[in-house]
Amino acid sequence: MTSGLWELVLKGLWTTVQLLVFSALLGGAVAFTAGVARTHRLWIVRFLAGFYTEVFRGTSALVMIFWVFFVLPPAFGWQLVPMWAGTLALGLTYGAYGSEIVRGALKAVDPAQQEGGIALSFTPWQRMRLILLPQAVPEMIPPFSNLLIELLKGTALVSVMGMGDLAFSGNLVRLALQESAEIYTYLLLIYFVIAFLLTRVMRGLEKRLKAGVGKAPTRKAVTEPGPVGAGVGVGVGVGGGS
């Protein structure tokens, strides 16, 4: 390919990366909000969060992109640029899947941990912030990693709006060269490299978050009282080994 065609592909790659980042941020915020809401003590909060989850999980991401980009403008009298239309549609759609990950991880925490927080007179927010989330978040990372890869592949759907993402740019290059095998092989490799890097980053994040969870307390030296002027140092394992 010529340098001009490679420049077109790189511009598409940059657009895809931006869309992935923006959609992931929106989807993550929505996932945590809806997922936590689905564990709320008030039934109306659980119902609204569940309704959102079922609606966006049960509809096509492609149709949602069409709806946001083509239906909203005449309905509300304003037009979203393709980048923000794609971000909104993908973020809300994949955020619905993420909310189930959050809800499941929170429910998987040992109920005794929740009861301990109640015994300590923690507020619901304190129990969530200090007890539940520190234990649940590390367990969310592997499924969130898979969801992030799915989101990366889902960004190709925005090409239907004429948005110059990687898939759209690759198709333009294909039309210019009249060569499908070469350009689509390049696209596959580019998507694979991005997915591989995302997987490695998420694995590193998972290890870092799990590093401080479930650690045994350190052993401390405790001095037992003895005769005046003397002391006997005895090593005692605090909450730890035998």
Side-chain angles (χ1 to χ4, degrees):
M1 291 194 300
T2 64
S3 59
L5 293 178
W6 273 116
E7 183 180 353
L8 181 62
V9 172
L10 292 177
K11 286 182 179 179
L13 173 60
W14 175 236
T15 299
T16 293
V17 170
Q18 291 182 83
L19 182 62
L20 174 64
V21 172
F22 295 148
S23 300
L25 291 175
L26 175 60
V30 169
F32 272 90
T33 301
V36 171
R38 295 201 68 184
T39 65
H40 201 275
R41 64 183 184 277
L42 296 179
W43 73 268
I44 185 63
V45 177
R46 297 196 304 272
F47 172 79
L48 292 175
F51 179 76
Y52 155 77
T53 301
E54 294 302 326
V55 168
F56 280 88
R57 222 173 33 162
T59 53
S60 166
L62 179 60
V63 176
M64 187 60 63
I65 289 173
F66 280 132
W67 196 86
V68 170
F69 192 64
F70 295 110
V71 176
L72 283 182
F76 295 95
W78 42 264
Q79 177 71 59
L80 285 173
V81 297
M83 174 63 76
W84 300 122
T87 297
L88 183 62
L90 293 175
L92 292 177
T93 299
Y94 285 89
Y97 290 100
S99 68
E100 280 297 282
I101 296 174
V102 174
R103 183 190 67 83
L106 290 174
K107 289 293 186 181
V109 176
D110 190 343
Q113 301 289 330
Q114 179 91 327
E115 294 168 2
I118 295 174
L120 292 171
S121 300
F122 283 2
T123 65
W125 168 241
Q126 287 176 322
R127 294 197 299 270
M128 180 65 65
R129 181 172 60 89
L130 300 175
I131 298 176
L132 297 180
L133 284 178
Q135 298 180 69
V137 168
E139 303 304 322
M140 300 177 194
I141 300 301
F144 265 130
S145 179
N146 289 333
L147 190 61
L148 189 59
I149 301 303
E150 288 297 321
L151 176 58
L152 168 64
K153 295 184 285 187
T155 57
L157 297 175
V158 301
S159 59
V160 299
M161 298 185 294
M163 185 175 172
D165 72 313
L166 185 58
F168 185 83
S169 300
N171 191 51
L172 292 181
V173 174
R174 182 189 67 84
L175 293 175
L177 296 178
Q178 292 299 308
E179 178 61 49
S180 299
E182 179 184 1
I183 184 58
Y184 285 137
T185 300
Y186 286 141
L187 292 185
L188 286 176
L189 290 174
I190 292 173
Y191 277 113
F192 171 76
V193 169
I194 298 174
F196 179 78
L197 293 176
L198 289 175
T199 302
R200 301 307 299 177
V201 169
M202 295 297 283
R203 284 182 182 176
L205 179 61
E206 180 186 4
K207 289 180 180 179
R208 183 166 185 174
L209 289 175
K210 285 186 174 180
V213 178
K215 277 189 172 181
T218 58
R219 300 174 67 87
K220 296 181 180 179
V222 179
T223 302
E224 291 185 351
V228 177
V232 181
V234 180
V236 179
V238 181
S242 54

